[in-house]
Amino acid sequence: MKDTSLFEQLLGLQAPWRVVSLSPDLDNKSINVCIEYPNGKKAPCPEAGCGKICSIYDHRPERAWRHLDTMQFKTLLSCEVPRVNCELHGVKSLQVPWADSQARNTAFFERFAIDVLRCASSQAKAAELLGLSWDEVHHMQERAVARGLARRELKDIKHIGIDEKSFLKGQSYGSVLYDLDEARVLEVVKDRTEEAAIALLSTIPEKIRENVKAVAVDMWEPFLTGIKTVLPDAAIVHDKYHIVSYLTKAVDQVRRLEHKALKADGFEDWLKGTRYTWLRNPENWTEKDEATFDQIQGKGLKVARGWAIKETFMDIWNYSYEACARTFFDRWYFWATHSRLKPIVKVAKTIKRHLDNILTYLKHRITNAVGEGFNSKIQAIKAAARGFRNFANYRIAILFHCGKLELYPHGSL
C-alpha cells in the first residue's frame, strides 16, 4: 500500500478528495500531508440548500490545518481549496471535509484540544500540552462556545436562577443566569445592575419566557426589578441559601462584638477560636465543635442566643402551607426583634420586608444550589487564569466549563 493511500484511509477521505504527497521534515519533527480535489471533477455548490453540481472555477491559495500528531510528528494537512461557479450563488469555496469553515485546525484536532482544555489546569497549560500559543487555544475555546450556543435548544425552561460573581478584586461583578432543572449556566453578563439583569434575562427567547415559572434570586433590588420587567408572570423565590448567609453573618457580627467586650472584661478565652463553630451547619460539626458548643451553652452568651434564633428560622422551609409558615414567622420575628442583638434585628427586618417572596419557596421549591455548586468551579477558573481583566474571556470560560454545551466541531473525519 502506498503511503498516500494509507493516509487517505487514516483521514477517511472520500473521492474525489485524495492525498497526493507526503513531506516529512525530520529536523522539525513534522509532516505535511498534501490533499487535492482534481481539476476535472465537478462539485456541489456549498451554499446551504443548493447543492447544484458545478464545474471547478479555480483554487484558493494553499492553506494548512493542524491535525493530530502522527506518532511524534506534528502533522499538517495542506490544500488549495477549489472554488465552484454556481449560476445562483456565484463563485463559492468548497467546504473541506476535515475542518469547519474558517478553522485553522482539523475537526479531530479541535476535539482533542477541547478535551485537553477541559482537563488542563489552565489555558496556558493546555497551550503547552498542545504545542500551540495561548491565543490559538483561546480562539478554539471561543469557537467551541460559539458552536455550542448556536446548537443549544432552549425548549422548556421552567426554573431559573440569577446570582452574582466577582471577576476582579474590588467591585467588579458579573451576573450569571442558571437553568436550575438542567444544572447549567445559560449566560453571563457584566455588572449586577438593573440593566444587566434585563440584558441577562432577555437572552431567553421570548417564546420561552412564558414557560418560566419561578426565579431563584437574592434580595438584590436591581435583580428583582429586572425580573419584574422581563418576566412579569414568573414567581420570585428568594434563595434560602442567601437568607441563611445573612443570618449567619449576623451571628458572626454578634460573636465579634461580644468577644471584644469579653476581652475587655478579662474573659478573652471564652469565644477565642469558636468562629467556625457558629458558622458551620450543626450537621457538619466536628467533635471539637460539639465540645465547644457544650462548654459555651451554659454561659448565657449573646452569640449562643443569636445562633439559636438563626437555627430556629430554618424550620420555615419545612412548612407546606403558607398560613402556618406566616404564623411561625410572626413568633420568630417577635423573638428576633426583641433579642437586643442589633445585627439579628437588622436582618429580621430585612427578611420581613421580603417575606412574600421567601414564602413562594413553599410552592416552588427551588434554590440557587446549582449556582453554589458551580462556585468552586468558577473560582478554580479564576484562579487558573489569575483573575480575568477581560470580561469576555471570563464569560467564555464559564460557558465552556459550566454551560453543558455541545462543543465539538462537526466533521466527516
Side-chain angles (χ1 to χ4, degrees), residues 33-52:
V33 181
C34 184
I35 301 171
E36 74 167 12
Y37 193 100
N39 255 329
K41 299 291 184 178
K42 294 188 176 183
C45 172
E47 192 72 19
C50 182
K52 181 178 175 63

Side-chain angles (χ1 to χ4, degrees), residues 276-306:
Y276 292 103
T277 299
W278 310 109
L279 294 182
R280 289 190 185 100
N281 185 322
E283 295 179 0
N284 300 325
W285 272 357
T286 63
E287 290 183 5
K288 182 180 178 182
D289 291 327
E290 292 177 359
T292 299
F293 181 77
D294 291 340
Q295 184 180 1
I296 291 175
Q297 191 176 23
K299 296 184 182 297
L301 296 180
K302 294 177 181 178
V303 65
R305 187 151 37 95

